[in-house]
Amino acid sequence: MNLHETSHSELEALAQKLRRKILETVSRNGGHLSSTLGAVDLIIGMHAVFDPGKDPFIFDVSHQAYAHKLLTDRWERFDTLRQFGGVSGYTSPEESAFDYYKAGHSSTSISLAVGAAKAIRLKGEDRIPVVMIGDGSLSAGMVYEALNELGDRKYPVVIVLNDNEMSIAKPIGAISRYLSKGMAGPFYQKLKKKTEAILERFPESATYVAKKFEESFRLITPGMLFEELGIEYIGPIDGHDLASIIETLEIAKSMGKPVIVHAQTIKGKGYTIAEGPLEHWHGVGPFDIETGKSLKKPGGVKSATQIFSETMQALAAADERIVGVTAAMPGGTGLSPLLEAYPDRFWDVAIAEQHAVTSMGPLAKEGFKPFVAIYSTFLQRGYDQVIHDIALMDLGVTFAIDRAGIVGEDGETHQGAFDISYLRPIPNLTLMAPWNEKSMQKALRFAADYPRPLALRYPRGAFLGREEEVPEYEPGRAHLLREGEKILLVGYGNGVGRALQTAEKLNGLRPGILDLRFVKPLDEALLTELAGRYSRWFVFSDGARMGGVASAIEEFFSEAGIGGVALTSFEYDDAFIPHGKTVDVERSLGLLPEQLAEKIRERVKN
């Protein structure tokens, strides 16, 4: 859609049309709502000033880019948002040539823009990278690494800072407070221009004094930080005033150097129920537009996150050594009640996974028991810190890894497929996984007393396994849940529940079922014993096959010289997993219990 010749009144009408389309679609399919509604006017302005077919449009995280999708080539397909085989909830070049880059994690956009600007200069082309980044993403250090180089190299890049004074939850840190300083309104912009005009008339002898005056004045503005880094700053502007947005972006475009346009917006703009700093409306399931009430029927089964939250509250109340951290996901990780109850012992450090991990090391060294509550996909961002700052020191930090396995509609960038594979090679690190509520409670109690680095993974939503009694955890000890004949189903974490469900479909067969409990260290004694009794092993684990659970068992068999076992892995293939409802994704991967049962029958028959 070409907006370059469109009148302001037509653009205003378009903004309302886009918001209505987004609201109707998200109310049916679920998705990111308040962030994308708040960004509509800015995205219209970007399309009106720049050429998305030529200029790289780079959206940080990209969950706020729904309006961009609608303005390009996906209006008719937008009803399939976040459904299996449908439009992604994030930017995806495979989906459209107008999406420059895949994104799903925060604070990468300015680095991408610097890279794009370098390529454009090397190719001698007339193109300008355009970035949209939220104020919450400025809490991550990668942004400043990119700004540091950009301010030095002076590549033409326009950065739209979408400042809604909100990340997913309440914004944390000095940067967010800095951006919201009240003196940085239109008054500052007018005074800045007047000051510059006066300085031009000063005689040379007065230049030093005048310069000091200008620098002192800039100390009260948000622009000081960026200008000191060598980035021109314009703003703040009203992020819902299309005329102002377009005028400002035209100026920024013409400057031929890096520019930050600071725009203040309201999350949920246009949908009164969701307007403002409300964490609940960031990401939603289907809901009734008129009332805002969720259409999801309340279920009686607790999510793994809820079990984690309740158990941690009980543990923290009984043990003052227990502390914890989250990186901008207090609600998603279940840490919100602990942040409220124990603000001196539990911290949200904003979008700063590396800092979150490293900062817990000294607490463990000083005798506390830290828990890092984090999604599997986001722990990837603190990988060096896990190795260098925790495991190398052999410190008793527990990583409570939420969203391990398929996460559904968020798709490729968020699937928790890799944590087993990337953590298993790290020395000193113990890996374990519960499979139902009772085992989760006992696993966390075990972790609270465990003196070494520990990673504990659990799924999004409810465990697949039914409730039954389980023994206490002992380091490196597995548990045989069911005795059987010839066939052994080996489950790790939520894979235990999947193995139990699959066993129910194996009519005529009587498999044994093993809860592995620990993938590092393995229960070598029990595995050796079982290898003598079961000749067909099938591994169930919600993680990547390469470097995963079956790989660990095969490595042990090889080293111990154990033969005679035919081992099959039902872990994820070497490919990124698409978005869609979890059941649809699992069906496409052949991981539903009836599909797995059929595969087992085929292998047993041959």
Side-chain angles (χ1 to χ4, degrees), residues 50-72:
F50 299 92
D51 181 355
K54 182 185 75 168
D55 299 318
F57 276 29
I58 302 171
F59 293 91
D60 204 88
V61 187
S62 82
H63 62 283
Q64 80 284 50
Y66 294 178
H68 166 74
K69 289 174 180 276
L70 290 168
L71 288 172
T72 48

Side-chain angles (χ1 to χ4, degrees), residues 302-359:
K302 292 179 184 178
S303 70
T305 304
Q306 186 179 353
I307 299 166
F308 168 76
S309 181
E310 292 174 357
T311 307
M312 285 300 299
Q313 290 174 61
L315 290 171
D319 187 348
E320 293 184 353
R321 296 178 309 119
I322 291 177
V323 297
V325 70
T326 180
M329 301 297 291
T333 60
L335 220 59
S336 289
L338 290 137
L339 289 165
E340 294 174 10
Y342 308 105
D344 294 331
R345 289 164 53 195
F346 290 83
W347 302 276
D348 179 356
V349 297
I351 304 173
E353 293 87 357
Q354 294 170 302
H355 166 59
V357 172
T358 297
S359 68

Side-chain angles (χ1 to χ4, degrees), residues 517-533:
R517 303 194 128 200
F518 294 85
V519 73
K520 184 181 183 183
L522 290 171
D523 190 341
E524 296 181 355
L526 183 56
L527 292 180
T528 301
E529 177 193 334
L530 294 174
R533 293 196 278 134

Side-chain angles (χ1 to χ4, degrees), residues 231-550:
I231 315 290
E232 188 68 26
Y233 170 88
I234 304 175
I237 64 169
D238 183 345
H240 301 299
D241 181 344
L242 278 166
S244 177
I245 292 167
I246 291 170
E247 179 185 4
T248 305
L249 290 178
E250 290 282 11
I251 294 170
K253 180 181 179 181
S254 69
M255 295 176 75
K257 57 184 175 180
V259 184
I260 284 181
V261 175
H262 181 181
Q264 293 178 325
T265 60
I266 299 170
K267 260 195 165 185
K269 177 68 174 178
Y271 183 50
T272 306
I273 297 174
E275 285 188 350
L278 304 172
E279 181 178 354
H280 167 69
W281 287 103
H282 177 79
V284 297
F287 64 94
D288 178 75
I289 293 177
E290 298 304 318
T291 64
K293 292 183 178 178
S294 172
L295 296 179
K296 183 179 179 181
K297 295 178 182 178
V301 182
K302 292 179 184 178
S303 70
T305 304
Q306 186 179 353
I307 299 166
F308 168 76
S309 181
E310 292 174 357
T311 307
M312 285 300 299
Q313 290 174 61
L315 290 171
D319 187 348
E320 293 184 353
R321 296 178 309 119
I322 291 177
V323 297
V325 70
T326 180
M329 301 297 291
T333 60
L335 220 59
S336 289
L338 290 137
L339 289 165
E340 294 174 10
Y342 308 105
D344 294 331
R345 289 164 53 195
F346 290 83
W347 302 276
D348 179 356
V349 297
I351 304 173
E353 293 87 357
Q354 294 170 302
H355 166 59
V357 172
T358 297
S359 68
M360 291 298 101
L363 281 154
K365 183 177 172 62
E366 294 286 344
F368 292 91
K369 182 61 198 182
F371 283 77
V372 178
I374 195 165
Y375 292 3
S376 172
T377 185
F378 297 141
L379 184 56
Q380 294 164 186
R381 311 193 82 188
Y383 187 58
D384 176 69
Q385 288 68 32
V386 174
I387 296 172
H388 188 270
D389 301 324
I390 305 301
L392 184 64
M393 294 281 291
D394 201 13
L395 296 169
V397 175
T398 292
F399 297 94
I401 305 174
D402 203 327
R403 271 59 167 182
I406 293 171
V407 299
E409 291 87 347
D410 282 341
E412 292 169 297
T413 57
H414 283 60
Q415 309 286 20
F418 306 115
D419 57 273
I420 299 170
S421 302
Y422 68 68
L423 293 175
R424 197 165 67 82
I426 302 175
N428 296 334
L429 185 59
T430 297
L431 273 62
M432 67 184 298
W435 63 277
N436 64 7
E437 181 170 359
K438 286 185 172 61
S439 66
M440 178 75 152
Q441 292 167 344
K442 291 186 176 183
L444 288 168
R445 287 199 291 270
F446 171 86
D449 292 324
Y450 194 65
R452 306 188 67 194
L454 174 70
L456 182 153
R457 79 186 315 253
Y458 46 95
R460 180 182 189 179
F463 285 109
L464 295 175
R466 294 192 300 264
E467 281 312 301
E468 61 178 82
E469 284 300 328
V470 296
E472 298 293 336
Y473 281 82
E474 299 176 49
R477 291 293 300 275
H479 175 227
L480 189 63
L481 288 169
R482 307 279 192 277
E483 287 281 5
E485 297 175 352
K486 296 182 180 179
I487 300 170
L488 182 67
L489 309 186
V490 181
Y492 181 63
N494 211 33
V496 175
R498 198 179 304 279
L500 288 165
Q501 291 179 348
T502 302
E504 293 175 358
K505 309 287 184 183
L506 290 172
N507 300 326
L509 298 175
R510 186 167 161 263
I513 300 176
L514 176 69
D515 173 12
L516 196 60
R517 303 194 128 200
F518 294 85
V519 73
K520 184 181 183 183
L522 290 171
D523 190 341
E524 296 181 355
L526 183 56
L527 292 180
T528 301
E529 177 193 334
L530 294 174
R533 293 196 278 134
Y534 296 90
S535 58
R536 294 270 188 171
W537 290 31
F538 298 90
V539 175
F540 297 74
S541 171
D542 294 345
R545 178 180 302 150
M546 192 175 293
V549 176

